Amino acid sequence: MGKKNGKRKISVEASRKALLNDLRSKCTGETITKQISFANDDVPNYLKWLKERQEASRDVKIIVR
Amino acid sequence: MPKIQMEPIEGSKYYARTVHGGNPIPRDIARPHSNFDFIDDQFQALPTLRRIMSQVRQHNGRTMVIEELKEAEDIRQENEDIKIRYPGSYPIKVCRLSYYTKEFKTKRGLANVKQEEFLGYAIIKEDYITGLGKRIRIYESVIKPSGSENDFIRGVNEWVCSVGDNRFEIKGYLYAQQNNITNVCAHVALRTAAARFCTTGDMTYREMNKMIGVDHINRKVGGTDGTGLNTVEMREILESTGAKCEVIDYTDVQEHRYQDPFQKFLYGSIESGFPAIVVFETADRPDVCHAIPVFGHTFNEDTWVHRAESSYFKVGPGTLYIPSESWVSMYIAHDDNWGSNFCIPRRYLRTRRYCKKLADKCSMDQGCVQYVIATLPKEVQMNAVQAEVIGADYLFTILPQLPDVDEVWRKRLREYARNNQLILRPILLKGKDYSEHLRKVRDWERRRTFKIKVEPESWLWMVELSVPELFPANRRKVGEVILLAEKQPQHYRDFKNFLFARVPGFFAFYLRGQAPTPIYEFVPCALRSHVELYGCEEND
């Protein structure tokens, strides 16, 4: 935990856990735990490609006038 | 990155829009007054003023107030810079025109104008430039946008305009025209976009030029021997205001369609209330590009576009969906050469196609998009395209594996997913706005869920999930995934950005385990069918 720009920063895990506990306490039914399998790597591959493409774009100089 | 040398921007004497004018003269502009005659007689048939006054006519403007301005600080700076660039030049006149729906003929009438009767203003500047002659242009203007219910312009600033002893406010994106001497189209596009991030006022041309070393002697931007700005300089100027720029280059034409259509970056910013700049070729000089700021869009609920195969966004062979951008009919933009608040058909702007015969760029294509600068707040580390595909990754994985998949909406969604007919819309919002949205929404049977507390000041991406018969017709959705926007996303799945997903009947939380087989916990949620999209809540 720390403070940055005057904002209190909480870890993702802590934030998610607090929210989950809050919802568990409010919901009326039973929660279900389940393994969910990713079917393909389309998104990781795309994100990798996009990152490289955006990095290369940052240095492109086009004259605008 | 150089820091902007801040000029004194406080006080009403700084900006031409707030400086006290001379004697305000009301003028009747209702029919049979001719805007054509007025502009021909007094403003050298200036086309950009014609566009501005045609918007005033559309708003049923009845009175215009004309004021001649004494030097405001921003005008004084420009005059000084013009003299450095072309010694011997001098200013001729600066006029402020303001427009009203109310009829009045006197100063007393002006004093009684209500805020809602103010339509906006235009400041017109005329200069004599040594060797070039008289030049006239719109120095700046803000005119109320059309207000059609299918127009979506978010993130507008509120501008104060002084008229006589009165102050009026107008919401909109500031329009300005280049002088092509000390500033060019890149400057004015930046001015429109930068205002979204400036906490006070807007950015002056002198501030921009100082940042990149333009002194009008050794480095010139406008005129016959000016070099304009380049896209790296534009990005640096915009980032100095507190914007995070997401840039993408389309000069390198590829054999296959771009996997990142420029509209996704454009729409990703403007739909969340942050402007973008589109850089495209000009027909007469292909080596030099023009820039326009884009800040809104229109929505066509009956469009056929999403039914066309080409409208699918294909992340990979197993991940296809319909982007909500398919329902955009026009983009709303300023073009400094022609005026403010224009609608540009979505398919009119395009990137250059690849010619198989030439094995190079198509030589028939002209005026193509070369570069896009989309903006977001500086704290945001994930852009709209990343958010959308990461949202797709979680949602499309969770949907077919939900508990009790025979429940009616879960079953339907599985079918929509199988046919690649799911719609995704990424929206950037604060945690407090999401909590408020969830508090307001009701499902079709009017059920609501309990209050949830998300860190109020955190930036989140909400990727909304819908289907073609819901999204455009009654503007509803079946779920969303909430992603933490202030964390840099990785290309591998580390679950660091994933806060949770909401699908019909459940909230889904990541519990433990690594990709590709993580464990989720499903918490029952009362919202079992579709609810309103963000911004379309019925219980406001």
Side-chain angles (χ1 to χ4, degrees), chain B residues 22-30 33 38 42 53 62-68 96-100 102-113 163-164 166 168:
Chain B
N23 184 31
I25 303 166
R27 183 167 177 158
D28 182 359
I29 54 169
H33 163 89
F38 169 74
Q42 301 208 18
M53 291 194 65
R62 292 203 174 91
T63 308
M64 164 173 65
V65 172
I66 307 169
E67 296 168 285
E68 198 153 327
R96 184 169 57 208
L97 308 182
S98 49
Y99 306 101
Y100 310 84
K102 184 188 169 181
E103 278 180 40
F104 60 92
K105 292 184 170 62
T106 61
K107 283 184 193 171
R108 188 186 295 274
L110 171 63
N112 291 323
V113 168
V163 185
N166 312 280
F168 298 104

Side-chain angles (χ1 to χ4, degrees), chain B residues 337-525:
Chain B
N337 289 331
W338 300 108
S340 58
N341 299 318
F342 279 112
C343 285
I344 302 173
R346 175 176 174 261
R347 296 273 176 177
Y348 184 82
L349 294 173
R350 63 173 192 278
T351 48
R352 194 182 288 272
R353 288 169 296 183
Y354 182 82
C355 175
K356 277 188 179 169
K357 208 171 166 186
L358 296 173
D360 198 356
K361 47 182 85 165
C362 170
S363 56
M364 301 296 283
D365 272 349
Q366 288 186 332
C368 297
V369 171
Q370 298 282 284
Y371 203 77
V372 169
I373 306 174
T375 65
L376 292 170
K378 66 179 176 196
E379 300 85 359
V380 174
Q381 299 299 313
M382 181 191 280
N383 67 44
V385 183
Q386 291 168 323
E388 189 177 283
V389 300
I390 292 171
D393 199 24
Y394 288 116
L395 283 169
F396 295 180
T397 307
I398 292 170
L399 282 178
Q401 302 178 72
L402 282 171
D404 187 12
V405 281
D406 289 330
E407 192 276 336
V408 61
W409 266 103
R410 286 172 225 153
K411 201 170 165 181
R412 269 182 205 138
L413 286 176
R414 210 171 42 175
E415 282 308 304
Y416 275 104
R418 209 192 324 261
N419 295 315
N420 305 318
Q421 286 289 302
L422 291 173
I423 298 168
L424 294 181
R425 178 174 88 140
I427 292 278
L428 183 70
L429 75 177
K430 288 278 183 88
K432 60 187 174 192
D433 298 323
Y434 178 69
S435 301
E436 184 63 6
H437 168 64
L438 210 55
R439 187 187 68 76
K440 286 179 188 169
V441 296
R442 303 286 184 272
D443 74 5
W444 195 241
E445 295 74 25
R446 302 189 190 284
R447 288 178 291 247
R448 61 179 171 182
T449 189
F450 31 74
K451 275 187 186 174
I452 72 159
K453 286 182 217 155
V454 183
E455 274 192 79
E457 293 304 322
S458 291
W459 284 108
L460 305 173
W461 278 107
M462 170 168 65
V463 183
E464 298 184 303
L465 175 74
S466 191
V467 296
E469 294 75 21
L470 276 181
F471 178 75
N474 47 12
R475 303 191 186 176
R476 294 175 74 88
K477 62 177 175 179
V478 284
E480 66 265 347
V481 60
I482 303 298
L483 303 170
L484 298 169
E486 294 178 41
K487 290 203 173 292
Q488 182 79 48
Q490 301 300 324
H491 62 80
Y492 50 87
R493 295 170 175 125
D494 64 0
F495 301 94
K496 298 278 187 196
N497 293 96
F498 180 76
L499 192 57
F500 62 86
R502 186 187 64 76
V503 289
F506 291 109
F507 287 102
F509 280 82
Y510 164 72
L511 216 53
R512 62 181 177 274
Q514 301 298 312
T517 52
I519 310 286
Y520 285 74
E521 182 166 333
F522 292 87
V523 180
C525 167

